[in-house]
């Protein structure tokens, strides 16, 4: 089998002695399933040649990707007529397979620096959240960022976004009388 190899393929053993042969398995390209192979040991001078060893290999599927977002909430505060500084959140993949994520937001005043990507098992990536609030009236606004991957074990996951726009201070203009 191409996934099965031996550390050494020939040698000699003295009468009454033994030796070990390392068996190497390369399973990274194999699909989940059961595989079998045979190792055959031969010596034309041995009365019981050949001898065989059966090798059984079970390859299990990698655990699915798992989405973990931090922080769970982004809070912005800005004075009317301005835009707040962007903030980032992190997408962690705490699962065993690659996370192929898609990100969406549900407000026109919010945008993401990236709306899709992939994260290897155990890895993470950062996504910046930008707020365009300069045209919004004073008040409180709420939105949600949703990260999905249909193959992830816990999809979808969300980040809550809170925006407070405060009224601009009143400007009093004095004119000389």
């Amino acid at each position: 089998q191409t996934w099965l190899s031996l550390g050494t393929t020939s040698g000699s053993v003295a009468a009454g002695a033994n030796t070990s042969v390392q068996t190497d398995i390369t399973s990274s390209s194999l699909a989940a399933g059961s595989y079998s192979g045979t190792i055959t040991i031969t010596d034309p001078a041995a009365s019981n040649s050949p001898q065989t060893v059966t090798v059984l290999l079970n390859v299990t599927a990698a655990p699915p990707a798992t989405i973990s977002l931090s922080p769970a909430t982004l809070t912005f505060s800005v004075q009317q007529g301005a835009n707040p500084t962007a903030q980032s959140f992190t997408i962690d993949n705490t699962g065993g397979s690659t996370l192929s994520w898609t990100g969406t937001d549900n407000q026109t005043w919010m945008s993401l620096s990236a709306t899709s990507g992939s994260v290897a098992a155990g890895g993470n990536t950062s996504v910046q959240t930008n707020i365009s609030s300069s045209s919004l009236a004073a008040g409180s606004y709420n939105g949600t960022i949703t990260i999905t991957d249909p193959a992830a074990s816990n999809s979808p996951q969300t980040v809550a976004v809170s925006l407070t726009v405060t009224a601009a201070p009143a400007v009093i203009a004095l004119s000389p009388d």
Side-chain angles (χ1 to χ4, degrees), residues 12-13 17-21:
S12 60
V13 181
N18 62 49
T19 191
S20 295
V21 177

Side-chain angles (χ1 to χ4, degrees), residues 69 72-74 89 103-112 129 131 141-147 156-163:
L69 304 177
T73 303
L74 297 175
F89 64 94
T104 58
D105 62 71
N106 66 348
Q107 298 296 332
T108 57
W109 45 264
M110 184 173 24
S111 64
L112 303 176
T129 305
I131 304 296
Y141 299 86
N142 294 301
T144 302
I145 298 167
T146 303
I147 304 298
Q157 293 293 301
T158 61
V159 174
V161 178
S162 172
L163 169 64

